[in-house]
Amino acid sequence: MRTPNSIEKVKRKLADSPYRSSKRLSRELQLSRTTVRRILVDDLNLFSYKIQILQKQSTVQKEKRLTFGKLVAGKVEKKEIDIGNINCSDEAHFQLSGYVNKQNMRIWGEEKPDPLDSKL
């Protein structure tokens, strides 16, 4: 039930950690997932953002990527590369410090976080 008390509880929990899922919040606060979701979106005006893992690129790196892209596109046009054999995946990100599954990693906030922010 969306009461001022339950809204305040959700707000306090998210202040501790904005990375909590609505499923985890509902379990911790003993509220239904629908109630928690409505509180997050309708009452607190928050959105769930997927974490983006990016790196800054120099001008030289950007030029190399563009050159490579044009080279591959040319080979695809000339039928030197079968596009059906190209497999791209972005399901998970691996780091030396541990495993990060980006598919399940979200952050609740009023605006989209900066992906190049070192705190994320």
Side-chain angles (χ1 to χ4, degrees), residues 31-61:
L31 296 169
S32 74
R33 279 181 72 185
T34 305
T35 299
V36 169
R37 191 88 174 144
R38 286 180 180 156
I39 289 172
L40 291 168
V41 175
D42 298 338
D43 299 324
L44 299 178
N45 297 320
L46 299 177
F47 300 93
S48 176
Y49 294 103
K50 184 174 182 179
I51 298 294
Q52 301 281 321
I53 298 175
L54 303 174
Q55 61 188 18
K56 292 183 181 178
Q57 293 183 348
S58 69
T59 306
V60 173
Q61 289 170 324

Side-chain angles (χ1 to χ4, degrees), residues 62-76:
K62 289 179 185 178
E63 289 172 5
K64 284 182 179 181
R65 287 178 67 127
L66 182 62
T67 303
F68 178 76
K70 288 178 180 178
L71 175 75
V72 171
K75 288 184 181 257
V76 168

